[in-house]
């Protein structure tokens, strides 16, 4: 209730849509039933994460919560359970068809799916097949606190561990501008995928994938994803034009699951693809953050954001830099969108992955800060 | 120019691979350093949360909020999934219990969980924050859902409180929670000490505050009572628990005529000049420390006799121990004399009533008692010393069967407040078989709140009067009955229409269908039948004065008013219109 009052004042009971991000310590069944009790007429969606970002800044305890409240009915909501890497395309298309059936004129889709065992490029494909590539897909994948053990997604009376929800916005006067950035530099020789199926990598350089990955990372053979995620970002080389826009020559991918020797990649991966290990560069992180914020502001001169959604990789959040730097980073991204010191409605989360356009295409990212700034035309 | 041999190539390749590993290992070591930095940073964050909690705790003045803050802080600071806080106040026996993040699976779960926390305290050291050994969880029905936990319990015997703090991580959620270590024990230890200190301080503050409030209240009360005691008209004396006089107000001195040296430090029972019986009552009340309120006769020093209402109030402390007595003397001399006068007047009235041959009786409803005089007993041939139940039986049996319903209905009218008083006549058949005519007056009595409390009444045997007039009255009625020309109207003692003939109906059509009702025949004219009602009322109290009166009727007529008595002994008003 305190959270609802803080976001909506005393009139929280009559909002139409509540979007919650809650850190993993929450009981999502309790959270959803309480939200539905307090705002009985609203659609309620939620996802687990490793920390939240709001107007007030960063919060990363086991029980943090943040929300964005929406008034008005210019949206459609669809949700699904049992989404995995092997059926990501079908499930995303099913969501897209449901959205399209509910409302005409959807021009942007906020998508939030499971962060474990999912092929996010296929999710994009599923949505684009229904709505075309002009519809912007933005959002994130849910997470735990970087254990790669479990993540939650919830919609109205349903709480899922392998689900997804999608919100299609259809107010023709609104549009979203997106951009993502990381600050990692590729090092050394790449690991080459020599055997894969879909989003699962079986071999690197002709050797079992998971052991070889750990070997290249220089960590013990019995570690889990909690150890590898912060240091194990894998980079895919980008063409020069995209590299220029991206501010980096590599697009990063995270490994959130392994099964035996198999590595679960975040998107479909073809044999022969070289993947680079990467190292962080804090100077690049800060300079690139400044650059993308400036790009967004420059692309929308004189406009005041209606709201900002923000997805950040948990490996950049809790486990990347210390708290002071993190707060400074968040301040640097919020300040340019603020007016008279007041930050627009802001909902951010530390998850496993982010969606944002790159080269004009809907693209899935990892280890980035992705900003989704909604403007009125 | 030299060529690269195969051996050189292989060496270079090995060195290159070694370099690659060094690069990634450097990354890993760098990450380990960062993680260590993060852990310290995070730990610092937890201590900051702890500090923030203590700041809020200090400001908290509401106990429920305090408990809620504590469990929320445990979840936040210890980074556990579930927290429970139990607090027992040994002095009051109250048990407070708050949880955060605990989802009961059925109705009894919450209560069972609370009991298990107390049972767990039997297996763990007091005043030490500790990680719960994993084999403990399996011993409990609710706790077995968890596999990691921290526990602290302590008792402060001086203040009389026990505190139980428990942080838990469920089996289901344990993969996403950090392993509990000595860091958590340290955090819980600091947290628990802070909570316990705050509770002790809070309770001592509450006790002190309560005592201060009591003192303030007592002081205010004392001032108020002193002011009242000084200013009231009653005499007030305060004695010690042994009955020795400590303090009196001026009025006490004035009422008793005593001087301070006469009573100061002496037993109140010895000081007051009471009759032996009254003194005995007072001394017994003091000895048994009981509240008593009774009238006493007091021989004033100046020689005149006074009457007091003496009230003895024992005053006890919160533990029930006797502190002192307050004696209040209310001067009721005037009331006592007035009462004596009333008794004297009553006796005189009873004598007069007896001489006038008027039977009187009184029914007190709250006490359910009936009093009557000897005349009444004689009228109904009843033994004056018989029981009131017998009197009632004799009276009810004596009423003429034709009159009984009417007599009882009239009595009920008075009881139901339909009328405050009434006079009626009825016949009685006495034990010796004689028929007597009784004129009875009945009146209800009410207390100050308007509640009915009883009836008083009188009876006169008017048989002789009735018989003396009977012949004349009967001849009137016969004459009237035969007279079919002149308009005739007959009313009862209450003014209800009993009979009218056709000429009267022709003259006053308003009365058509109004038999049994009281009707104002001439609402718009000055000379109305209300005059007749007044006459009826006059005669209803003086039957012996029955006589014919000429009255104006409907402006243009002259009428004769013949008061008469029916065969049932009722007063009837007969109005005959002459030409």
């Amino acid at each position: 209730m305190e959270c609802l009052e803080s976001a909506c004042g005393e009139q929280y009971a009559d909002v139409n849509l509540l979007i919650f991000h809650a850190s993993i310590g929450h009981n999502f069944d309790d959270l959803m039933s309480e939200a539905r009790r307090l705002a009985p007429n609203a659609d309620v969606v939620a996802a687990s994460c490793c920390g939240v970002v709001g107007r007030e800044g960063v919060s990363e305890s086991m029980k943090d919560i943040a929300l964005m409240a929406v008034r008005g009915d210019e949206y459609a909501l669809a949700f699904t359970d049992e989404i995995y890497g092997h059926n990501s395309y079908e499930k995303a298309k099913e969501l897209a068809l449901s959205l399209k059936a509910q409302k005409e004129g959807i021009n942007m889709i906020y998508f939030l799916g499971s962060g474990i065992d999912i092929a996010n490029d296929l999710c994009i494909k599923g949505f684009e097949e229904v709505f075309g590539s002009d519809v912007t897909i933005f959002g994130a994948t849910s997470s735990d606190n970087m254990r790669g053990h479990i993540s939650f997604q919830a919609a109205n009376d349903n709480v899922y561990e392998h689900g997804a929800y999608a919100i299609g916005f259809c107010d023709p006067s609104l549009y979203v501008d997106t951009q993502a950035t990381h600050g990692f530099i590729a090092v050394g020789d790449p690991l080459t995928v020599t055997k894969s199926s879909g989003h699962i990598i079986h071999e690197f350089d002709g050797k079992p994938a998971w052991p070889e990955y750990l070997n290249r990372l220089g960590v013990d053979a019995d570690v889990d994803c909690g150890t590898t995620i912060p240091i194990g970002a894998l980079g895919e080389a980008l063409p020069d034009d995209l590299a220029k826009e991206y501010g980096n020559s590599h697009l990063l991918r995270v490994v959130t699951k392994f099964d035996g020797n198999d590595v679960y990649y975040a998107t479909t991966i073809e044999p022969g693809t070289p993947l680079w290990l990467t190292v962080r560069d804090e100077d690049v992180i800060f300079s690139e953050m400044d650059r993308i914020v400036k790009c967004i502001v420059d692309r929308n001169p004189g406009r005041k954001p209606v709201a900002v959604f923000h997805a950040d990789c948990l490996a950049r959040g809790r486990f990347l830099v210390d708290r002071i730097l993190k707060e400074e980073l968040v301040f640097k991204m919020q300040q340019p969108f603020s007016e008279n010191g007041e930050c627009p409605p802001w909902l951010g989360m530390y998850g496993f992955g982010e969606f944002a356009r790159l080269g004009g295409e809907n693209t899935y990212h990892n280890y980035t800060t992705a900003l989704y700034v909604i403007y009125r035309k | 120019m030299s060529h690269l041999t195969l051996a050189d190539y292989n060496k270079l390749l090995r060195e290159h691979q070694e370099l690659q590993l060094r690069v990634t290992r450097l990354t890993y070591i760098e990450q380990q350093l960062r993680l260590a930095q993060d852990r310290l940073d995070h730990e610092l964050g937890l201590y900051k949360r702890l500090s923030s909690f203590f700041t809020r705790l200090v400001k908290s003045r509401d106990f429920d909020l305090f408990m809620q803050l504590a469990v929320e802080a445990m979840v936040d600071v210890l980074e556990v999934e579930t927290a429970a806080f139990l607090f027992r106040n040994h002095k009051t026996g109250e048990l407070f219990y708050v949880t955060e993040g605990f989802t009961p699976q059925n109705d009894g779960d919450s209560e069972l969980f609370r009991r298990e926390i107390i049972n767990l305290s039997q297996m763990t050291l007091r005043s030490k924050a500790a990680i719960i050994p994993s084999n403990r969880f399996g011993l409990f029905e609710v706790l077995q859902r968890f596999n990691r936990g921290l526990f602290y319990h302590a008792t402060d015997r001086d203040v009389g409180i026990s505190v139980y703090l428990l942080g838990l991580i469920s089996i289901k959620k344990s993969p996403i929670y950090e392993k509990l270590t000595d860091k958590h024990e340290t955090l819980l230890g600091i947290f628990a000490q802070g909570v316990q200190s705050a509770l002790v301080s809070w309770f001592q503050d509450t006790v002190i505050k309560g005592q201060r409030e009591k003192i303030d209240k007592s002081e205010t009360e004392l001032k108020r009572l002193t002011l009242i005691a000084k200013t009231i008209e009653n005499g007030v004396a305060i004695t010690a628990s042994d009955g020795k006089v400590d303090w009196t107000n001026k009025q006490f001195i004035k009422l008793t005529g005593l001087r301070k040296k006469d009573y100061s430090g002496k037993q109140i029972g010895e000081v007051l000049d009471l009759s032996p019986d009254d003194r005995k009552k007072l001394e017994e009340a003091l000895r048994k420390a009981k509240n008593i309120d009774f009238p006493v006769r007091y021989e004033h020093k100046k020689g005149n006799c006074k009457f007091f209402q003496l009230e003895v109030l024992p005053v006890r402390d919160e533990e029930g121990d006797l502190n002192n007595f307050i004696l209040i003397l209310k001067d009721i001399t005037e009331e006592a004399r007035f009462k004596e006068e009333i008794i004297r007047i009553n006796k005189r009235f009873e004598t007069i009533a007896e001489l006038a041959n008027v039977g009187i009786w009184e029914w007190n409803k709250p006490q359910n008692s009936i009093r009557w005089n000897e005349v009444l007993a004689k009228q109904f041939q009843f033994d004056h010393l018989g029981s009131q139940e017998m009197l009632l039986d004799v009276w009810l049996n004596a009423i003429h069967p034709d009159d009984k319903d009417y007599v009882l209905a009239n009595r009920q009218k008075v009881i139901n407040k339909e009328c405050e008083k009434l006079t009626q006549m009825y016949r009685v058949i006495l034990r010796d078989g004689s028929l007597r005519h009784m004129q009875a007056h009945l009146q209800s009595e009410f207390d100050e709140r308007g509640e009915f409390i009883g009836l008083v009444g009188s009876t006169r045997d008017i048989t002789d009067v009735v018989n003396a007039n009977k012949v004349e009255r009967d001849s009137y009625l016969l004459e009237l009955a035969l007279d079919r020309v002149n308009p005739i109207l007959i009313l009862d003692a209450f003014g209800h229409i009993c009979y009218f003939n056709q000429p009267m109906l022709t003259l006053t059509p308003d009365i058509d269908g109004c038999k049994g009702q009281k009707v104002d025949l001439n609402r718009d004219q000055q000379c109305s039948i209300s005059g007749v009602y007044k006459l009826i009322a006059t005669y209803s109290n003086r039957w012996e004065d029955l006589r014919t009166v000429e009255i104006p009727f409907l402006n243009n007529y002259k009428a004769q008013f013949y008061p008469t008595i029916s065969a049932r002994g009722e007063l009837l008003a007969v109005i005959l219109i002459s030409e």
Side-chain angles (χ1 to χ4, degrees):
Chain A
M1 185 188 291
E2 193 180 331
C3 189
L4 277 168
E5 281 183 348
S6 171
C8 322
E10 290 180 357
Q11 304 302 316
Y12 56 77
D14 62 356
V15 297
N16 295 70
L17 174 63
L18 289 169
I19 305 168
F20 283 99
H21 293 334
S23 46
I24 195 71
H26 282 281
N27 181 320
F28 278 74
D29 288 308
D30 292 349
L31 170 70
M32 294 301 282
S33 62
E34 183 64 4
R36 298 272 283 165
R37 187 183 71 79
L38 293 168
N41 301 318
D43 282 316
V44 183
V45 292
S48 66
C49 57
C50 188
V52 297
V53 184
R55 281 170 165 170
E56 301 81 7
V58 179
S59 195
E60 293 177 325
S61 78
M62 288 295 278
K63 281 204 172 176
D64 280 314
I65 192 165
L67 76 89
M68 181 78 82
V70 179
R71 287 188 208 278
D73 62 355
E74 294 92 350
Y75 73 90
L77 170 65
F79 43 91
T80 186
D81 192 13
E82 303 292 322
I83 184 168
Y84 295 95
H86 67 84
N87 66 1
S88 295
Y89 164 75
E90 291 81 4
K91 287 285 183 179
K93 191 173 174 183
E94 185 184 306
L95 289 173
L97 289 169
S98 170
L99 294 179
K100 196 172 179 72
Q102 292 175 52
K103 286 280 162 74
E104 289 291 322
I106 289 173
N107 58 3
M108 51 180 159
I109 294 168
Y110 183 71
F111 174 66
L112 218 147
S114 166
I116 300 168
D117 188 4
I118 187 165
N120 291 288
D121 57 327
L122 296 181
C123 291
I124 292 170
K125 189 180 170 193
F127 282 111
E128 287 188 340
E129 197 159 299
V130 175
F131 286 101
S133 57
D134 288 343
V135 167
T136 300
I137 298 157
F138 62 108
T141 49
S142 58
S143 72
D144 55 11
N145 50 349
M146 218 178 61
R147 308 287 163 133
H149 175 72
I150 195 169
S151 70
F152 296 100
Q153 314 76 38
N156 292 341
D157 299 322
N158 309 283
V159 176
Y160 306 125
E161 292 180 15
H162 252 284
Y165 70 78
I167 302 163
F169 292 99
C170 57
D171 182 340
S173 68
L174 295 178
Y175 70 96
V176 63
D177 195 353
T178 69
Q179 195 157 352
T181 176
H182 62 79
F184 286 62
I185 307 297
V187 292
D189 287 343
L191 286 156
T192 304
V193 178
T194 49
K195 189 178 176 186
S196 68
S197 51
H199 69 301
I200 303 170
I201 302 169
H202 304 294
E203 288 180 3
F204 281 124
D205 299 325
K207 298 170 189 169
W210 179 248
E212 181 57 15
Y213 177 59
L214 297 185
N215 178 47
R216 284 297 299 272
L217 289 174
V219 298
D220 296 336
D222 59 351
V223 299
D224 59 14
C225 289
T227 304
T228 62
I229 288 171
I231 58 171
L234 293 168
E236 289 178 24
L238 285 170
D240 288 346
D241 55 336
L242 293 184
K244 190 179 174 190
E245 179 192 328
Y246 205 37
N248 200 297
S249 56
H250 292 81
L251 187 69
L252 301 189
R253 293 282 176 250
V254 68
V255 174
T256 57
K257 181 180 174 181
F258 68 94
D259 185 7
N261 291 331
D262 292 342
V263 165
Y264 282 65
Y265 204 56
T267 55
T268 310
I269 185 81
E270 296 296 331
T273 310
L275 299 173
W276 277 263
L277 292 174
T278 57
V279 291
R280 287 177 307 270
D281 186 322
E282 282 179 15
D283 288 341
V284 177
I285 287 171
F286 277 85
S287 63
E288 279 300 299
M289 174 59 67
D290 285 342
R291 189 181 69 84
I292 70 156
V293 170
K294 186 173 183 303
C295 284
I296 294 172
V297 171
D298 288 349
R299 283 199 297 269
N300 303 280
R303 290 207 167 101
K304 183 186 168 189
V306 174
V308 180
F309 287 88
H310 160 209
D312 222 301
C313 174
L314 48 78
R316 281 171 66 89
R318 165 82 181 270
F319 296 94
L320 174 60
V321 290
D322 66 32
R323 187 173 183 87
I324 294 166
L325 286 179
K326 228 160 2 205
E327 283 174 355
E328 189 184 339
L329 201 59
V330 169
F331 175 76
K332 279 172 101 61
M333 72 177 83
Q334 289 186 338
Q335 196 273 335
F337 298 111
S338 301
E339 191 172 272
N340 300 321
E342 190 181 345
C343 179
W346 191 288
L347 180 66
M349 71 182 282
Y350 292 111
F352 275 137
E354 308 80 38
F355 292 88
R357 283 190 185 276
L358 176 62
E361 301 292 327
N362 287 309
T363 308
Y364 179 69
H365 306 256
N366 286 118
Y367 295 93
T368 65
T369 289
L371 294 176
Y372 317 121
V373 187
I374 296 176
Y375 291 102
R376 201 167 288 285
K377 288 173 187 167
Chain B
M1 188 175 171
S2 62
H3 292 277
L4 193 67
T5 64
L6 183 62
D8 291 337
Y9 175 78
N10 285 336
K11 188 183 170 196
L12 273 173
L13 188 63
R14 279 196 303 276
E15 283 174 355
H16 175 71
Q17 284 171 340
E18 183 66 23
L19 192 62
Q20 285 294 327
L21 280 173
R22 282 185 182 176
V23 166
T24 52
R25 277 181 183 144
L26 184 63
T27 309
Y28 175 61
I29 291 165
E30 183 198 16
Q31 182 60 34
Q32 293 305 308
L33 287 170
R34 283 192 178 279
L35 285 176
Q37 184 190 6
D38 176 74
R39 274 196 295 273
L40 289 171
D41 183 40
H42 183 60
E43 217 164 298
L44 183 65
L46 297 181
Y47 282 101
K48 280 181 182 170
R49 288 181 204 169
L50 192 60
S51 166
S52 160
F53 163 68
F54 285 135
T55 307
R56 292 177 71 189
L57 201 64
V58 168
K59 290 177 186 167
S60 165
R61 282 286 165 266
D62 177 89
F63 188 68
D64 291 337
L65 179 65
F66 171 88
M67 299 267 300
Q68 191 57 43
L69 274 177
V71 284
E72 286 178 9
M74 278 175 75
V75 166
D76 211 24
V77 173
L78 300 173
E79 297 199 305
V80 289
E81 182 188 351
T82 300
F85 179 10
L86 229 81
F87 165 74
R88 189 191 289 278
N89 184 340
H90 293 284
K91 285 189 176 169
T92 62
E94 289 172 298
L95 188 69
F96 302 91
Y97 167 51
V98 180
T99 62
E100 173 72 12
F102 176 69
T103 309
Q105 292 180 359
N106 55 54
D107 287 347
D109 240 16
S110 188
E111 175 58 20
L112 186 58
F113 186 35
R114 183 186 66 73
R115 285 209 301 273
E116 288 183 1
I117 293 169
I118 292 171
N119 291 340
L120 184 65
S121 71
Q122 311 296 319
M123 305 176 184
T124 50
L125 288 173
R126 275 181 199 277
S127 308
K128 186 177 185 315
I131 294 170
I132 303 168
S134 56
N135 60 356
R136 291 276 192 280
F137 294 99
L139 303 175
F140 301 98
E141 194 176 328
V142 176
L143 283 172
Q144 67 176 347
R145 294 172 207 157
F146 302 88
N147 63 354
R148 287 189 228 157
L150 286 155
F151 190 48
Y152 174 90
H153 69 102
T155 298
D156 188 316
R157 298 198 186 282
D158 293 336
V159 183
I161 59 170
S162 288
V163 178
Y164 308 79
L165 297 167
L166 178 65
L168 293 166
I169 297 166
S170 69
I171 296 167
K172 190 180 172 189
K173 293 270 184 84
S174 64
I176 58 171
Y177 281 87
E178 200 179 333
K179 195 179 171 189
L180 297 173
T181 63
D182 52 358
K183 172 187 83 178
H184 294 92
E185 288 182 336
T186 307
L187 277 167
L188 179 60
I190 296 170
F191 178 84
Q193 282 170 14
V195 166
Q196 205 174 333
S197 307
L199 272 172
V200 168
S201 160
W202 198 83
F203 262 78
Q204 282 174 340
D205 280 355
T206 307
V207 170
I208 291 168
K209 194 179 164 195
Q211 285 171 340
R212 193 178 298 134
E213 278 173 4
K214 258 187 216 169
I215 291 167
D216 290 347
K217 199 174 163 190
S218 300
E219 281 179 354
T220 310
E221 186 71 4
L222 189 63
K223 280 179 189 168
R224 198 165 61 87
L225 288 174
T226 307
L227 185 68
I228 292 168
K230 278 180 180 171
T231 54
I232 59 170
E233 290 180 359
N234 296 338
V236 178
I238 298 174
T239 76
S241 57
D242 58 5
K244 285 180 181 168
V245 180
D246 275 346
W247 180 89
T248 68
N249 66 354
K250 285 181 181 172
Q251 193 65 10
F252 180 86
I253 295 168
K254 190 177 170 186
L255 289 176
T256 58
L258 296 168
R259 291 166 299 179
K260 199 171 180 182
K261 64 177 182 178
D262 296 331
Y263 60 77
S264 199
K266 292 180 181 170
Q267 288 283 340
I268 188 76
E270 293 169 8
V271 170
L272 294 174
D273 195 357
L274 304 176
S275 70
D277 282 351
D278 289 343
R279 175 171 292 122
K280 198 175 165 186
K281 267 189 196 171
L282 172 61
E283 285 174 350
E284 189 185 341
L286 294 172
R287 196 171 59 252
K288 293 184 177 173
K290 62 178 187 181
N291 191 343
I292 190 169
D293 189 1
F294 64 107
V296 296
R297 185 186 167 93
Y298 182 78
E299 298 301 330
H300 196 272
K301 290 281 175 192
K302 288 181 180 173
N304 54 340
C305 167
K306 279 186 172 290
F307 293 91
F308 296 137
Q309 188 71 22
L310 173 59
E311 187 173 8
V312 179
L313 295 164
V315 181
R316 297 176 187 278
D317 63 18
E318 283 196 344
E319 275 71 43
D321 295 331
L322 182 68
N323 274 353
N324 46 28
F325 290 98
I326 297 174
L327 282 84
I328 300 169
L329 281 182
K330 186 181 178 187
D331 187 352
I332 55 165
T333 307
E334 209 170 304
E335 289 94 317
R337 297 216 165 110
F338 184 67
K339 193 175 170 185
E340 279 183 350
E341 180 63 15
I342 294 286
I343 292 167
R344 198 175 59 78
I345 290 168
N346 275 349
K347 277 188 179 168
R348 191 194 297 164
F349 172 74
E350 279 177 14
T351 307
I352 291 167
E354 279 178 22
L355 291 172
N357 217 23
V358 175
I360 51 175
W361 56 271
E362 179 185 348
W363 171 46
N364 185 312
K365 189 189 171 198
Q367 294 173 8
N368 193 26
S369 64
I370 304 173
R371 289 176 60 232
W372 62 94
N373 68 356
E374 280 187 42
V375 177
L376 187 88
K378 279 181 190 166
Q379 284 172 348
F380 287 90
Q381 297 182 347
F382 171 70
D383 181 1
H384 177 56
L385 299 173
S387 71
Q388 62 186 41
E389 287 78 16
M390 285 167 68
L391 172 72
L392 206 59
D393 282 346
V394 168
W395 176 68
L396 283 171
N397 288 332
I399 301 171
H400 192 287
D402 291 346
D403 296 348
K404 191 173 277 181
D405 289 347
Y406 140 84
V407 170
L408 295 179
N410 276 346
R411 187 180 69 157
Q412 204 56 42
K413 274 183 190 173
V414 177
I415 291 172
N416 294 343
K417 292 189 184 179
E418 289 173 42
C419 58
E420 193 179 329
K421 58 184 177 181
L422 63 81
T423 299
Q424 62 184 347
M425 288 185 62
Y426 59 89
R427 292 161 295 170
V428 294
I429 301 168
L430 298 178
R431 287 178 176 181
D432 61 5
S434 59
L435 177 76
R436 307 296 294 177
H437 292 269
M438 296 291 181
Q439 181 192 4
H441 182 74
L442 190 60
Q443 184 159 341
S444 54
E445 289 195 323
F446 301 91
D447 63 13
E448 62 276 6
R449 290 172 298 171
E451 294 288 322
F452 174 76
I453 55 167
L455 295 172
V456 291
S458 65
T459 55
R460 279 183 62 210
D461 188 331
I462 56 165
T463 311
D464 294 343
V465 177
V466 171
N467 287 342
N469 292 293
K470 192 169 185 307
V471 177
E472 189 182 356
R473 307 301 162 201
D474 287 350
S475 65
Y476 277 144
L477 290 172
L478 182 63
E479 193 178 320
L480 293 170
L482 290 171
D483 188 346
R484 297 181 181 275
V485 178
N486 291 339
I488 297 170
L489 175 66
I490 301 177
L491 307 174
D492 68 10
F494 303 102
H496 300 150
I497 296 171
C498 300
Y499 170 80
F500 53 82
N501 63 2
Q502 189 55 44
M504 179 58 93
L505 182 63
T506 307
L507 191 67
T508 58
D510 284 356
I511 63 175
D512 192 16
C514 293
K515 274 191 182 170
Q517 295 175 30
K518 189 170 180 176
V519 177
D520 188 348
L521 295 176
N522 199 5
R523 285 182 292 272
D524 303 324
Q525 298 180 42
Q526 282 186 343
C527 188
S528 74
I529 202 165
S530 59
V532 177
Y533 296 144
K534 280 181 188 170
L535 285 170
I536 293 170
T538 303
Y539 288 115
S540 68
N541 291 321
R542 293 187 285 119
W543 290 75
E544 64 275 20
D545 294 338
L546 294 176
R547 58 195 168 89
T548 306
V549 181
E550 189 171 279
I551 57 169
F553 193 72
L554 299 179
N555 281 345
N556 301 323
Y557 298 93
K558 280 186 179 174
Q560 273 72 47
F561 172 68
Y562 298 98
T564 188
I565 295 168
S566 73
R568 282 172 46 172
E570 294 169 337
L571 173 70
L572 295 177
V574 181
I575 298 164
L576 176 67
I577 308 295
S578 52
E579 289 295 329

